[in-house]
Amino acid sequence: MLEVSKLTKFYRNTPVVDDVSFAVRPGEVTGYLGPNGSGKSTTVKMIVGLIEPTTGQVRMDGRNVREDITAFRRRLGYVPEEAILYSYLTGLEYLQLIGRLRCLPEDVVEQKANEMLSLFSLSSYRRAPISSYSKGMKQRVLISAALLHNPDVLILDEPLSGVDVTSALLFKHLLEELARGGKAILYISHVLEVVEKVCERVIILYQGRVVANDSVDHLRDLMHLPSLEEIFSQMVEHRDLESTARDIVGVMRG
Amino acid sequence: MNVTRFSALTRHCFGRFFDRESLSPQGDMETNVAQTLALLAVPGMLTALWLLPFDVRGWMLVGARYFPVAYSMTVMGFVMVFEWDSLFPDARDYLILTPLPIRLSSLFAAKLAALAGFLALFVLDINALGTVLFPAVAGGESYGGAVLAHRVSVGAGALFMALSAAAIQGVLLLVLSGRMFRRVSAAVQCLLMAVLVMTLFLHFLVVANLRHLVVAHSSVLAWFPYFWFLGLYEWLSPATLDAWPLAELAPRALVAIAIAGGVFLLTFLAGYRRHARQAIAGTVLSPAGPGRLRAAAGALLNRTVLKSPLEQAAFHFITQTIARSLKHRLFLATYGGFGAALAVLSYTSGPLGSLTLPLTLSFFLVSGLRAAFNFPSELAANWVFQVSESERRSEYLAAMRKWIVVCGILPLFALLALVEFRLYHWLTALFHLSFGITLSLVLMQIMFFTFRKVPFTCSYFPGKANLVGLSVLYIYGFTTYSYTMAALEFSLARNPVGAVAFFALAAGVYTALGRYRERGVRIMNSLDYEDAPDPVVRTLNLHVS
């Protein structure tokens, strides 16, 4: 189990993530939601060890991951918020690089990389440089790379950004399958319909603090609201959005 | 077209010449412009000021005039090489500008106007102070006439270089297919860079032998464009009648400008639409993959040299980055040009020339790779190395050393072997090559002793380096490595016992350095991904005791 305990990050005396605690259990998909700038990606970067937390701990099966970050990373698959890849590599070369960095044997790397690219419909583009890929294709490469070494924990930060409908549907089924296989999955997204369908629990972050941490069903019952979208809106958005939309059109017309 | 819009478009195109990662990763355009122009204006002025107190005339004046002509042409050559990809609008320009109500012809006109302005700015800047001061060096002449001769010859030289570079690109664009063009164009750009750097350092050799070359009517004069424009200078304002063979080259200079200009205009116009189509279409997806030879070589390396997946990952990553990152290839071309120039100078310097040549080349190879590995490539993507880093860190570093040996040192000495075995008895050639390779390996151990990163994955702050200290270290290291070791090689060639002792000592140093480095790597928590930046506030390290 992945546990985040009292995680805090300050940037120039401003708390970007403030006393955040939650757990991601094996066999569960946990949704991590929040408006832009709420601290979701900062939390994720602290979990994977790309930035240091100001205070707090991340534990894997009860052990502080900082004690042996390499061992934790061996069990981790990560899709970052932005599709930043070595754009001069081809899709196949990128997966080969990841496979080798994950210490997989050469024949396994070749086999898995080719199969992943084929299953994610990238087979015909595998020899093309990533710089020529669309945003959705890059995301599919990132997802393939995160799964290549069969990790126990998956942290997926906006994995469906720019992905087409078919791939998004495939991904939804993939998440369910991975959870059935006992993987602990932290899923960060703005697409609340998908979150509502695949996540057992959701954590809602607002201005760096956790404002909800419960199952979707329980939140619905508790707040007497029919959908996650309305729950989210009520918790983090205090503007009248219809009136704001009218104002924008007004400005546009001059 | 609306004048305001055209002016805005021209300004945008002009700004894009400075908005380049190779010039400044931060992309601060105004600072880039000011710094670049200020730096380039200085040498012309300083040389003129330095010469002013002397009575410069005759052959000395011809030699002195060679400097502004060569400087103007070389700087313009460098400018064109740096701006190689900006001569035409790139994909970003097209994607941003074509949805706007702007015709392609307007974009073309704005780009051409911006290019003309950009080149004019550089020509004026690099020669502005020199044009005023330099003619005064040749006292006794009509100052006005001297200014005119100076301005025309340095300007014409610069114009020739600019038009030639643009014409080469235009021809490549017309002759080659999109994919081939990208490959060949990048190779030509690197080659031009190496040649320019090399000639930059060979100018000293040229000036020293100028009189001899002219008096002997050397054929070099006819093939080296710098002489044509020096000839133009002599034709407009003769320093000595003895240099008349140079003045006779003036028509060649004018014809060369006309040809370069004509080719440029024809190919630029014809290639423009083709380039636009290629840029908008983007990279063509190719299912072909690497050729059989490359795939076989990769597989062979994986089976024999690269024992672990981590070594394979780092090794192939270095190969792919060097092969595809233009910034790194340009950097290595610069180092290569510098090394080649010094190698030529070493070779012609005396009896030990043939022994210093391989050592000079290997010094620049190893130190050039050390410097190139420091520059990051797509730094933001290094997260993938960070999140997958293994505790077997020495394997990343071993892969890097293997790359230097397999892709750097051995190919260099294989090329040298072709010459060595032709020139010397096979035993002598074998000794030369063994000596050079052994020293190169020791040099690699020394230069990469503190290098604790996967090449191209760590941020780099160049301003942090102590340039004076580093220069002294490099000059001392270079002279010791190339000249002292060449002398040692010369003496060891006739002393077999000494030679055996040398190889044993070198093996000992190599092993000891390797072991000491491994001890350091074992206690590391992580490889380096972030170079410590310069502190914003420098303290004086004062303490209250």
Side-chain angles (χ1 to χ4, degrees):
Chain A
M1 184 165 70
L2 178 73
E3 289 168 280
V4 169
S5 168
K6 296 180 181 303
L7 213 56
T8 301
K9 182 71 185 176
F10 276 86
Y11 282 125
R12 295 197 183 107
N13 299 326
T14 308
V16 186
V17 174
D18 194 0
D19 201 29
V20 166
S21 299
F22 60 85
V24 186
R25 295 175 184 85
E28 260 187 25
V29 184
T30 306
Y32 197 50
L33 316 175
N36 291 334
S38 59
K40 300 187 299 295
S41 293
T42 306
T43 315
V44 166
K45 283 178 184 163
M46 285 192 282
I47 295 173
V48 300
L50 288 174
I51 53 174
E52 291 278 335
T54 309
T55 58
Q57 274 189 359
V58 179
R59 287 193 295 271
M60 182 73 195
D61 295 337
R63 282 190 65 187
N64 185 349
V65 300
R66 292 275 151 195
E67 289 171 13
D68 190 353
I69 187 80
T70 313
F72 169 61
R73 283 169 173 169
R74 264 200 297 272
R75 301 176 63 187
L76 175 74
Y78 171 51
V79 173
E81 181 189 17
E82 285 178 74
I84 305 170
L85 304 117
Y86 286 104
S87 61
Y88 52 85
L89 299 183
T90 66
L92 180 61
E93 286 168 349
Y94 188 78
L95 291 191
Q96 285 170 334
L97 172 70
I98 302 297
R100 287 162 181 159
L101 287 173
R102 293 294 189 182
C103 293
L104 300 178
E106 189 60 13
D107 51 340
V108 177
V109 172
E110 286 301 317
Q111 186 207 337
K112 280 194 168 190
N114 279 300
E115 281 180 8
M116 280 288 189
L117 289 170
S118 170
L119 290 166
F120 277 101
S121 310
L122 289 167
S123 215
S124 49
Y125 307 106
R126 67 188 198 281
R127 305 282 191 196
I130 290 171
S131 57
S132 65
Y133 284 16
S134 69
K135 198 176 174 195
M137 288 160 79
K138 286 179 188 167
Q139 284 299 130
R140 282 183 269 159
V141 172
L142 277 174
I143 295 167
S144 309
L147 300 175
L148 208 61
H149 61 297
N150 189 23
D152 297 326
V153 181
L154 277 161
I155 297 180
L156 312 168
D157 196 347
E158 295 285 358
L160 296 183
S161 168
V163 167
D164 60 42
V165 179
T166 319
S167 303
L169 277 172
L170 166 69
F171 186 73
K172 194 170 74 72
H173 293 304
L174 176 64
L175 276 184
E176 288 164 352
E177 192 61 33
L178 288 167
R180 267 199 294 278
K183 308 293 181 197
I185 303 167
L186 182 65
Y187 179 56
I188 298 104
S189 179
H190 289 293
V191 188
L192 298 184
E193 294 93 326
V194 178
V195 174
E196 195 162 13
K197 279 179 190 156
V198 299
C199 295
E200 280 81 5
R201 297 178 69 79
V202 290
I203 297 149
I204 299 178
L205 202 66
Y206 181 61
Q207 294 185 341
R209 298 184 75 92
V210 174
V211 290
N213 181 353
D214 214 328
S215 71
V216 180
D217 290 338
H218 194 230
L219 280 174
R220 268 197 222 111
D221 293 343
L222 205 70
M223 297 182 73
H224 305 290
L225 289 167
S227 69
L228 184 60
E229 191 179 84
E230 291 190 44
I231 295 168
F232 182 81
S233 181
Q234 183 135 351
M235 284 186 158
V236 304
E237 190 55 72
H238 305 298
R239 285 185 300 174
D240 177 357
L241 297 179
E242 281 183 29
S243 142
T244 308
R246 276 196 299 275
D247 291 346
I248 292 170
V249 173
V251 171
M252 201 177 91
R253 287 176 178 157
Chain B
M1 188 190 179
N2 182 313
V3 176
T4 316
R5 193 196 287 176
F6 182 76
S7 149
L9 203 54
T10 307
R11 264 205 315 277
H12 165 79
C13 292
F14 186 83
R16 297 278 284 125
F17 286 118
F18 296 92
D19 176 25
R20 298 181 59 70
E21 199 200 359
S22 54
L23 293 176
S24 161
Q26 283 76 37
D28 180 1
M29 192 185 101
E30 284 176 15
T31 314
N32 282 345
V33 177
Q35 284 176 346
T36 311
L37 293 179
L39 273 174
L40 292 175
V42 172
M45 177 190 72
L46 280 184
T47 316
L49 285 176
W50 180 69
L51 287 169
L52 266 178
F54 300 102
D55 180 23
V56 182
R57 62 180 70 200
W59 279 107
M60 194 179 170
L61 183 59
V62 180
R65 282 172 173 179
Y66 182 81
F67 172 77
V69 172
Y71 179 69
S72 181
M73 292 176 72
T74 308
V75 169
M76 190 49 72
F78 279 121
V79 168
M80 293 303 282
V81 170
F82 271 114
E83 297 297 341
W84 191 256
D85 294 327
S86 304
L87 298 184
F88 291 95
D90 63 12
R92 191 160 59 144
D93 286 321
Y94 288 120
L95 290 175
I96 293 169
L97 296 174
T98 43
L100 301 174
I102 299 169
R103 286 183 185 172
L104 194 60
S105 57
S106 306
L107 183 56
F108 170 72
K111 187 74 188 179
L112 206 58
L115 182 62
F118 176 77
L119 297 179
L121 176 73
F122 272 89
V123 173
L124 288 175
D125 175 67
I126 52 186
N127 297 307
L129 299 168
T131 303
V132 179
L133 294 170
F134 221 93
V137 170
E141 278 188 74
S142 141
Y143 180 74
V147 167
L148 185 69
H150 186 92
R151 189 168 290 173
V152 169
S153 42
V154 295
L159 183 66
F160 167 74
M161 291 299 266
L163 291 174
S164 303
I168 291 171
Q169 201 184 80
V171 169
L172 293 178
L173 188 63
L174 278 189
V175 172
L176 302 171
S177 67
R179 198 159 162 234
M180 206 60 190
F181 169 75
R182 272 189 291 276
R183 281 187 182 180
V184 176
S185 168
V188 169
Q189 187 184 10
C190 292
L191 183 70
L192 285 176
M193 176 61 104
V195 169
L196 280 169
V197 174
M198 192 175 159
T199 50
L200 187 70
F201 289 92
L202 292 181
H203 288 316
F204 299 105
L205 199 64
V206 169
V207 172
N209 293 289
L210 185 61
R211 185 174 183 173
H212 170 73
L213 289 169
V214 176
V215 172
H217 290 267
S218 168
S219 57
V220 173
L221 299 176
W223 293 104
F224 205 51
Y226 296 91
F227 290 120
W228 310 343
F229 293 91
L230 180 62
L232 183 63
Y233 205 146
E234 284 307 302
W235 186 62
L236 291 169
S237 169
T240 164
L241 285 177
D242 292 346
W244 191 244
L246 264 181
E248 284 175 341
L249 294 170
R252 193 177 280 253
L254 300 176
V255 171
I257 290 179
I259 292 173
V263 174
F264 161 68
L265 278 178
L266 284 175
T267 53
F268 201 75
L269 282 169
Y272 203 79
R273 278 191 184 279
R274 192 173 179 193
H275 183 270
R277 273 201 308 275
Q278 284 174 5
I280 294 168
T283 313
V284 181
L285 304 181
S286 155
R292 269 191 214 164
L293 195 66
R294 221 175 77 193
L300 183 69
L301 277 170
N302 287 351
R303 273 201 305 275
T304 52
V305 181
L306 309 167
K307 288 178 188 133
S308 75
L310 287 178
E311 285 191 3
Q312 292 169 9
F315 188 98
H316 295 303
F317 177 69
I318 297 171
T319 310
Q320 287 152 352
T321 306
I322 292 272
R324 295 170 203 173
S325 164
L326 186 62
K327 187 170 67 174
H328 290 90
R329 276 190 294 169
L330 274 179
F331 184 81
L332 285 173
T334 309
Y335 246 87
F338 187 40
L342 279 185
V344 170
L345 291 174
S346 303
Y347 190 72
T348 53
S349 65
L352 290 178
S354 62
L355 298 181
T356 53
L357 184 127
L359 298 179
T360 304
L361 288 175
S362 76
F363 181 88
F364 278 92
L365 174 75
V366 176
S367 58
L369 286 173
R370 171 77 163 76
F373 286 178
N374 267 325
F375 290 123
S377 170
E378 306 202 11
L379 185 62
N382 80 354
W383 63 270
V384 73
F385 283 92
Q386 294 187 55
V387 298
S388 61
E389 188 181 305
S390 161
E391 57 277 272
R392 286 156 27 207
R393 293 178 184 92
S394 60
E395 290 181 19
Y396 300 95
L397 305 177
M400 175 186 70
R401 289 192 302 278
K402 285 179 181 179
W403 194 93
I404 296 167
V405 175
V406 173
C407 302
I409 294 172
L410 291 183
L412 171 69
F413 281 93
L415 282 175
L416 290 168
L418 297 175
V419 184
E420 292 270 354
F421 283 109
R422 250 182 109 85
L423 291 180
Y424 304 107
H425 183 265
W426 70 270
L427 214 57
T428 312
L430 201 63
F431 175 69
H432 284 176
L433 294 169
S434 309
F435 187 87
I437 291 172
T438 307
L439 269 186
S440 305
L441 293 176
V442 174
L443 180 72
M444 178 187 73
Q445 284 285 47
I446 295 168
M447 284 206 151
F448 286 85
F449 187 71
T450 55
F451 197 91
R452 305 278 162 87
K453 44 193 161 187
V454 179
F456 319 118
T457 63
C458 181
S459 59
Y460 180 64
F461 296 97
K464 221 178 58 170
N466 176 358
L467 282 181
V468 176
L470 208 61
S471 305
V472 170
L473 197 69
Y474 263 73
I475 290 168
Y476 181 73
F478 169 69
T479 47
T480 306
Y481 182 82
S482 290
Y483 296 99
T484 314
M485 289 298 132
L488 178 70
E489 186 182 353
F490 184 70
S491 66
L492 289 179
R494 278 169 274 145
N495 179 1
V497 178
V500 171
F502 165 79
F503 285 115
L505 180 69
V509 171
Y510 183 89
T511 313
L513 283 172
R515 286 201 179 145
Y516 195 65
R517 187 195 53 239
E518 285 306 306
R519 270 170 48 190
V521 173
R522 267 201 294 275
I523 55 168
M524 282 168 68
N525 290 324
S526 160
L527 293 167
D528 295 336
Y529 296 102
E530 288 210 34
D531 192 14
D534 232 8
V536 178
V537 178
R538 279 191 181 279
T539 65
L540 296 172
N541 292 322
L542 299 176
H543 301 280
V544 178
S545 54

